[in-house]
Amino acid sequence: DVKVTQSSRYLVKRTGEKVFLECVQDMDHENMFWYRQDPGLGLRLIYFSYDVKMKEKGDIPEGYSVSREKKERFSLILESASTNQTSMYLCASSLRGGTQETQYFGPGTRLLVL
Amino acid sequence: QKEVEQNSGPLSVPEGAIASLNCTYSDRGSQSFFWYRQYSGKSPELIMFIYSNGDKEDGRFTAQLNKASQYVSLLIRDSQPSDSATYLCAVRNPYNFNKFYFGSGTKLNVKP
């Protein structure tokens, strides 16, 4: 059974703070993803990683950075949190390639920036 | 134009009826399509995927793909109140298989 876990379910931070969101998967997947989900906008890709230390920008990378030092762990970093980064953050993982490979999602982190 | 478009709903159907959820996509080169269900406050979970034209059935769920018209549908037969959720359509980027585009989802309410 694929398991993707995220470090926090709920997080409250102040504007300007540095925020770390951690994601861990236990299925030896090559690919890992960070999305944010906002009402009416759906899921938007922030960054993804296709291998250790490799990353690629998604559709909305501004204000975010990522780190992947180990295959099973993918971190999202908000260098200086702002109120417009209040959102639900979802981590996902998948095997690389193949038309049928899908993504498996973690439970999500609901971040509130005050 | 968004890559994937869905009617946000809500779509209300009575228990036992067929619920029909639709999704259109913009890139004619797209090949792989996925339907996810997301309960309120939870993360998306895969229901099924389809990549060939026509119908694909899995229990009460049927995915339909029409590449010529660039739409994909999900039919839920014998709808149950437990099917009430938001349904997300996702399309794999045909030029970068590692990336997916998601629609904003259709909220389905099944009334007992």
Side-chain angles (χ1 to χ4, degrees):
Chain A
D1 210 21
V2 176
K3 191 139 189 199
V4 181
T5 57
Q6 295 181 228
S7 51
S8 305
R9 292 300 306 275
Y10 301 95
L11 215 48
V12 180
K13 296 292 181 181
R14 297 212 173 270
T15 302
E17 279 193 78
K18 192 168 186 175
V19 183
F20 293 87
L21 302 181
E22 295 245 299
C23 175
V24 177
Q25 52 94 4
D26 66 359
M27 286 304 292
D28 203 34
H29 285 171
E30 294 89 358
N31 296 337
M32 295 188 76
F33 307 80
W34 276 107
Y35 293 90
R36 63 178 282 179
Q37 186 175 30
D38 301 288
L41 297 177
L43 280 157
R44 293 181 292 168
L45 181 65
I46 304 171
Y47 267 99
F48 75 97
S49 168
Y50 49 91
D51 205 344
V52 174
K53 297 191 188 293
M54 307 304 287
K55 62 185 179 184
E56 193 169 317
K57 290 180 180 179
D59 301 314
I60 52 164
E62 298 78 19
Y64 303 95
S65 62
V66 290
S67 172
R68 191 157 181 210
E69 298 296 319
K70 293 185 178 181
K71 190 175 185 179
E72 68 271 17
R73 191 179 296 270
F74 192 33
S75 301
L76 179 69
I77 303 148
L78 285 66
E79 297 290 343
S80 178
S82 63
T83 55
N84 62 13
Q85 292 178 311
T86 291
S87 187
M88 168 72 95
Y89 289 87
L90 288 162
C91 175
S93 72
S94 75
L95 289 169
R96 183 185 301 154
T99 57
Q100 301 178 32
E101 296 301 336
T102 188
Q103 298 186 328
Y104 297 90
F105 286 87
T109 295
R110 194 168 289 281
L111 172 67
L112 173 62
V113 183
L114 300 173
Chain B
Q1 182 187 9
K2 289 185 179 179
E3 286 84 2
V4 181
E5 303 248 24
Q6 294 180 258
N7 188 320
S8 61
L11 173 66
S12 291
V13 300
E15 184 175 355
I18 296 174
S20 177
L21 304 160
N22 299 313
C23 169
T24 59
Y25 59 94
S26 60
D27 194 321
R28 191 169 286 278
S30 301
Q31 297 178 35
S32 305
F33 308 87
F34 303 81
W35 281 102
Y36 289 83
R37 177 176 60 201
Q38 186 175 25
Y39 292 113
S40 181
K42 302 292 187 182
S43 57
E45 54 179 340
L46 180 71
I47 299 174
M48 59 194 306
F49 66 87
I50 186 168
Y51 57 91
S52 297
N53 263 335
D55 295 0
K56 180 181 179 183
E57 191 173 313
D58 184 0
R60 295 186 297 112
F61 298 97
T62 299
Q64 299 175 317
L65 175 60
N66 184 321
K67 290 186 178 179
S69 300
Q70 294 178 238
Y71 80 77
V72 56
S73 301
L74 180 70
L75 301 178
I76 307 175
R77 288 183 301 281
D78 188 23
S79 296
Q80 301 297 310
S82 58
D83 295 325
S84 297
T86 296
Y87 289 80
L88 303 175
C89 173
V91 178
R92 186 188 288 273
N93 185 319
Y95 315 108
N96 183 340
F97 273 14
N98 294 314
K99 295 180 75 171
F100 294 74
Y101 296 115
F102 285 83
S104 55
T106 298
K107 187 173 174 60
L108 173 66
N109 291 328
V110 180
K111 298 181 177 180

